Amino acid sequence: MAYRETQRTRANAEARRAGIERATRHVIARGGFASASVAAVAVEADCSAGSIYTYFSSRDELLRLVFAQAAGHELEVIAGTVAEAATASQIAESTVEVFVRRAVAGRRLAHALLLEEVPEPVQSERLRLRRGYVAAIGAALDRAGGTQIPAEVVARSIVGSVGENLVDILDPAAPNPSPTEIETLIRALTTFTRSALGEP
């Protein structure tokens, strides 16, 4: 008799797959992508290494999927933030505020998502994430109007400047930034984004 997948076995398989994905996120959040070996994920997920390959074709595919899920959530947060802003200045300021505070709150994961050396499939997702940020911010700026510089150029400037200024702060080898350092960075980046918009 041919095997027929039942609703229960399908649900169990989906639960096991979700558990492996969740375990992978936990491992990455603690030690970055470099720490997310199949063996480490298997320990975290309380399963065998072989069972991971039942649900994912390779480690790179698992990492790519988990990156895409985490990145998609971060993009949704930024897109929702800029959608609530009424002016170009508010869009820029809220992007800086939310981006920096979320990155600092989850430093290890933020470093992994933004800066860590990763396999090519994950790097492709990272580029997709950056383009998503630019598209969301650019669309909001187009809606708000009032900018003399093309919205896409301003959006790329904001994304690039925030990311570059987080390099040292997110470095896992560096100490946690102080509240004063965080506030100083937010003020400086806010001033920069206003200048990118042609505002004082």
Side-chain angles (χ1 to χ4, degrees):
M1 175 185 266
Y3 171 77
R4 294 180 61 186
E5 183 181 52
T6 66
Q7 184 175 0
R8 182 174 181 178
T9 58
R10 185 164 55 250
N12 287 340
E14 291 173 354
R16 285 192 293 271
R17 180 184 174 96
I20 292 169
E21 293 170 1
R22 185 166 54 251
T24 305
R25 286 195 296 274
H26 291 167
V27 173
I28 293 170
R30 288 197 304 267
F33 283 95
S35 71
S37 65
V38 171
V41 171
V43 170
E44 183 76 18
D46 194 22
C47 69
S48 68
S51 67
I52 292 177
Y53 291 108
T54 301
Y55 302 99
F56 304 93
S57 61
S58 66
R59 172 180 178 268
D60 283 1
E61 174 59 19
L62 172 59
L63 297 184
R64 184 201 66 78
L65 178 63
V66 170
F67 182 100
Q69 292 171 341
H73 176 68
E74 294 304 316
L75 179 56
E76 286 179 1
V77 171
I78 291 297
T81 297
V82 297
E84 295 176 357
T87 67
S89 180
Q90 289 173 357
I91 290 166
E93 291 174 12
S94 62
T95 299
V96 168
E97 179 88 15
V98 171
F99 206 120
V100 171
R101 293 198 188 282
R102 287 183 65 80
V104 171
R107 288 178 71 219
R108 197 62 186 84
L109 180 58
H111 181 269
L113 292 177
L114 298 172
L115 303 168
E116 185 179 349
E117 184 175 346
V118 291
E120 181 55 36
V122 180
Q123 179 63 19
S124 295
E125 290 294 337
R126 178 178 283 162
L127 292 175
R128 192 191 309 273
L129 172 63
R130 290 180 67 87
R131 293 182 183 117
Y133 284 142
V134 170
I137 297 167
L141 289 170
D142 272 333
R143 169 181 52 79
T147 60
Q148 299 179 351
I149 304 171
E152 182 177 338
V153 173
V154 175
R156 289 187 186 279
S157 297
I158 294 171
V159 172
S161 64
V162 172
E164 185 63 26
N165 279 280
L166 287 173
V167 169
D168 291 335
I169 283 180
L170 298 182
D171 184 351
N176 288 332
S178 68
T180 299
E181 289 175 308
I182 296 169
E183 297 306 321
T184 298
L185 176 61
I186 290 174
R187 285 196 301 271
L189 283 170
T190 297
T191 299
F192 175 81
T193 55
R194 283 177 177 160
S195 68
L197 294 167
E199 297 181 4

